[in-house]
């Protein structure tokens, strides 16, 4: 039986979407030569990538153990 991890999957999908939007904003900032904002956006993208890795790992553990994710 596959564990219920819908919330984590939803969060992960949301993070992927946010990262995509941030990358598009970063591209626009680079084109307009707003380099300070680019640096800030790169930090945000890096943090989102770390969040994505965290949720991917939670899902891997859940699938491996067969236990649902109990994450708030």
């Amino acid at each position: 039986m596959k564990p219920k991890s819908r919330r984590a999957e939803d969060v992960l999908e949301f993070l992927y979407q946010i990262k995509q939007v941030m990358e598009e904003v970063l591209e626009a900032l680079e084109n307009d030569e707003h380099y300070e904002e680019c640096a800030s956006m790169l930090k945000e993208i890096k943090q989102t990538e770390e969040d994505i890795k965290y949720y991917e790992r939670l899902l891997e553990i859940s699938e491996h153990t067969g236990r649902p994710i109990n994450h708030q």
Side-chain angles (χ1 to χ4, degrees):
M1 175 184 239
K2 198 167 188 180
K4 300 280 184 188
S5 55
R6 186 74 232 154
R7 183 172 183 273
E9 290 171 354
D10 290 344
V11 169
L12 189 56
E13 179 61 31
F14 181 70
L15 289 170
Y16 283 130
Q17 291 172 3
I18 290 213
K19 182 178 176 235
Q20 180 180 355
V21 169
M22 287 192 296
E23 288 171 342
E24 291 170 5
V25 169
L26 178 61
E27 186 178 334
L29 289 170
E30 288 172 339
N31 290 339
D32 290 338
E33 298 181 358
H34 291 109
Y35 298 115
E36 285 184 30
E37 291 88 348
C38 288
S40 177
M41 185 59 66
L42 283 170
K43 288 179 186 175
E44 292 296 324
I45 290 171
K46 179 69 175 162
Q47 180 58 53
T48 301
E49 288 172 343
E50 293 299 318
D51 293 343
I52 287 170
K53 288 178 190 174
Y54 174 77
Y55 278 94
E56 286 175 339
R57 185 69 180 134
L58 279 180
L59 288 170
E60 282 179 23
I61 291 168
S62 177
E63 288 176 10
H64 180 71
T65 62
R67 297 171 64 189
I69 297 169
N70 188 13
H71 181 70
Q72 300 293 327

